[in-house]
Amino acid sequence: MNEITLMEMAQASQFRLGNAQNREAGTGCTVLIFPKSAPCAVDVRGGGPASRESELLNPMAAASGIHAILLSGGSAFGLNASTGVMQYLEEKGIGFETRVCKVPLVVESCIYDLGCGDNVRPDAAMGYQACVSAEMNVFREGCYGAGTGATVGKLCGPDYMMKSGLGAYAVQVGELQVGAVVAVNAVGDVLKKDGTILAGMRSRDGQGFADTRRVMLEEYGKTPTLFSQRAVGTTTNTTIGAVITNGKFNKAQLKKIAALGSNGIVRTIRPVNTTADGDSLYAASVGNVSAELSLTGTIAAYVVEKAIRRAVTQAESLYGVPAVNG
């Protein structure tokens, strides 16, 4: 198994990847464009998703493929950014052929980053700019794109959280390539491979980690949290991402790959998939390499793990929120 970059994979498989952001506002979006369309599915495990056109990905739906995946900040307000992606694709002649015109098929998921900066939300202009950036191969991890305003460790509120961001990772096994891009905005903590905490809720003295799961189990009823009646904002988190492979799969098979890929989220974030998260992971096929489904799904989980850890290690301290590497 060889490590490659997601941009190398994009160039080889002819999909595009780009970011747009407003760093002052603390928000942004990341787009993946599939000019020839790509079969796609989604696995939604969180209790509070903000999403668009998810029913297109149902294996029973007629659409055999979609033309873009948009990962965005702005909570449900960020769904407006898809309008700009639609405009860009229409201008480029990309879309599903109908009697009157080509209709671009765009799916989207959003994280909640409101209040991180000056409360500007991703809009059509930002979605369009992300597409322009993708055309110019402008992509960066950390506090860019959909990860601009991402944070983790928020069970007890913003005073104890840490900065997160956008992470990407890809590998090649033989001819098979599998990559992931993930915006990590979790209520829980991000774990290292050995199960210790890499980033998450800080202790009250600021000298270490509180351990979100420990607080939930040992301080239940004593400490106000997102899940107590004394706190508000119970759907203000979400980890969203996409797995891309050059393996040839249909929508039904990609549904399983997305589910297997989501195991990477489960292994690296604790707690995860709560009612305060909208965790969603897409899976898309951009090639014709013959590949076994379970192998591809296992690799998907691996690259998702790697991407999540990169999301916090590539982040920088912003908006008064500390990051792992300062």
Side-chain angles (χ1 to χ4, degrees):
M1 182 169 65
N2 298 315
E3 179 181 339
I4 58 176
T5 70
L6 196 58
M7 291 305 293
E8 288 173 339
M9 184 179 169
Q11 291 168 5
S13 299
Q14 298 184 340
F15 71 90
R16 304 170 194 162
L17 174 67
N19 288 332
Q21 56 279 317
N22 182 328
R23 297 260 285 184
E24 290 73 26
T27 195
C29 53
T30 298
V31 69
L32 297 97
I33 298 174
F34 311 109
K36 297 181 180 179
S37 87
C40 184
V42 66
D43 182 61
V44 181
R45 298 193 184 184
S51 56
R52 177 187 190 275
E53 292 277 42
S54 298
E55 278 301 310
L56 281 178
L57 309 182
N58 187 318
M60 298 301 293
S64 60
I66 51 95
H67 302 99
I69 297 171
L70 184 63
L71 309 176
S72 175
S75 188
F77 293 110
L79 295 172
N80 289 327
S82 286
T83 302
V85 178
M86 293 274 291
Q87 179 186 346
Y88 176 89
L89 295 178
E90 183 180 28
E91 290 175 1
K92 298 296 181 180
I94 298 171
F96 175 74
E97 191 74 61
T98 72
R99 182 176 58 85
V100 176
C101 62
K102 289 185 177 180
V103 180
L105 303 181
V106 180
V107 297
E108 180 183 6
S109 288
C110 303
I111 68 169
Y112 184 101
D113 55 8
L114 303 180
C116 190
D118 58 15
N119 205 29
V120 173
R121 298 88 178 253
D123 56 10
M126 187 178 287
Y128 190 97
Q129 182 57 51
C131 295
V132 173
S133 296
E135 185 175 343
M136 297 187 295
N137 296 316
V138 177
F139 173 77
R140 188 171 178 179
E141 296 174 86
C143 301
Y144 295 88
T148 304
T151 49
V152 295
K154 293 173 280 187
L155 180 74
C156 293
D159 291 342
Y160 307 103
M161 67 187 184
M162 289 185 68
K163 194 72 185 72
S164 182
L166 185 73
Y169 193 80
V171 298
Q172 180 164 340
V173 180
E175 293 184 346
L176 177 66
Q177 296 179 337
V178 184
V181 56
V182 186
V184 181
N185 190 58
V187 65
D189 305 321
V190 175
L191 308 179
K192 300 178 183 178
K193 187 175 180 180
D194 64 5
T196 58
I197 298 173
L198 175 62
M201 185 168 66
R202 293 171 291 139
S203 60
R204 290 181 177 83
D205 61 11
Q207 300 303 306
F209 296 111
D211 189 335
T212 299
R213 184 176 68 176
R214 183 200 65 77
V215 172
M216 292 179 71
L217 297 179
E218 298 180 11
E219 299 183 22
Y220 178 76
K222 303 174 185 178
T223 301
T225 72
L226 291 178
F227 304 106
S228 72
Q229 294 182 348
R230 288 172 286 177
V232 296
T234 55
T235 55
T236 56
N237 312 276
T238 288
T239 295
I240 56 175
V243 168
I244 313 298
T245 179
N246 67 351
K248 185 177 181 179
F249 297 102
N250 59 35
K251 286 198 295 182
Q253 293 168 321
L254 288 165
K255 181 74 173 177
K256 183 61 175 178
I257 290 172
L260 291 170
S262 288
N263 291 334
I265 300 176
V266 173
R267 289 200 288 261
T268 48
I269 300 175
R270 185 182 70 200
V272 70
N273 302 158
T274 71
T275 55
D277 294 285
D279 304 330
S280 304
L281 185 70
Y282 297 94
S285 169
V286 293
N288 292 294
V289 173
S290 178
E292 200 277 325
L293 189 152
S294 293
L295 168 65
T296 306
T298 299
I299 299 172
Y302 174 76
V303 296
V304 167
E305 285 186 63
K306 289 283 193 175
I308 288 172
R309 294 190 181 109
R310 287 187 63 84
V312 294
T313 58
Q314 296 297 306
E316 59 195 287
S317 299
L318 286 173
Y319 319 114
V321 183
V324 172
N325 294 320

